Amino acid sequence: MFEGGRPLVLGGRRQRVVLGVLLAHADEVVTTDRLIDDVWGEQPPETARKSLQVYVSRLRKILGEGVIEAQGSGYVLRIEPDQLDADRFERLAREGHDLVRSDPAGAASMLREALSLWRGMPWSDIADEPALRPAVERLAELRLATVEDRIEADLGLGRAATVVGE
């Protein structure tokens, strides 16, 4: 996450896991119990609930008012459409996929734009967290499918020589 072209300092590993889980379930309520399980596993410390409140408070200060809201027995992270690169990537990949056969030039352009948003593994330093693994794997599979679609679009445009290496 960036602000003014500079990366935001998002805190320690557990705080970043809280943010990662909320991002993976953006615009959905994630219960406090689920966050505790996702961050600490089967044996959370007695202070887990209080620590979670501290992490959320810190994230609210970093991200600004209204981004993370308490709702019922949990929290919800509010984002706008296309605010996250991952969401924009998914939208462009889906739209590009739909155009591969009918408009290979449009598809190739859209799929290149989608792939340009890819900057390594999602949640790179916490991608091994069990709570985030399904989202990371889903995005990685979608990236591979998007590369395949882009190659197919390029082949449809007669660019076989440029995709041989791939």
Side-chain angles (χ1 to χ4, degrees), residues 36-120:
I36 289 170
D37 287 345
D38 287 349
V39 173
W40 285 279
E42 294 181 12
Q43 297 182 344
E46 290 182 25
T47 59
R49 200 166 293 279
K50 182 64 179 165
S51 294
L52 177 61
Q53 291 172 343
V54 170
Y55 296 153
V56 169
S57 176
R58 289 178 184 163
L59 287 168
R60 284 176 168 157
K61 287 178 186 171
I62 294 167
L63 301 175
E65 288 295 317
V67 176
I68 300 176
E69 301 173 359
Q71 191 168 4
S73 61
Y75 298 96
V76 61
L77 185 133
R78 302 281 182 201
I79 58 169
E80 298 296 321
D82 275 3
Q83 188 174 356
L84 295 177
D85 284 351
D87 291 342
R88 188 160 182 244
F89 167 77
E90 287 187 69
R91 180 183 57 77
L92 289 167
R94 184 177 52 253
E95 291 173 5
H97 174 80
D98 292 344
L99 292 174
V100 168
R101 288 193 175 80
S102 63
D103 179 9
S109 175
M110 194 170 292
L111 295 166
R112 277 189 179 78
E113 184 179 350
L115 292 166
S116 75
L117 296 170
W118 197 268
R119 294 179 184 92

Side-chain angles (χ1 to χ4, degrees), residues 8-23 35 39-40 51-63 68 77 123 125-126 129 132:
L8 291 175
V9 178
L10 298 172
R13 183 177 181 89
R14 287 195 173 116
Q15 186 167 303
R16 291 190 318 275
V17 172
V18 170
L19 179 59
V21 171
L22 291 172
L23 284 167
L35 284 167
V39 173
W40 285 279
S51 294
L52 177 61
Q53 291 172 343
V54 170
Y55 296 153
V56 169
S57 176
R58 289 178 184 163
L59 287 168
R60 284 176 168 157
K61 287 178 186 171
I62 294 167
L63 301 175
I68 300 176
L77 185 133
W123 298 287
D125 63 331
I126 56 173
E129 288 289 330
L132 298 175

Side-chain angles (χ1 to χ4, degrees), residues 125-141:
D125 63 331
I126 56 173
D128 60 337
E129 288 289 330
L132 298 175
R133 212 170 293 138
V136 170
E137 290 171 0
R138 184 183 61 76
L139 285 169
E141 288 173 12

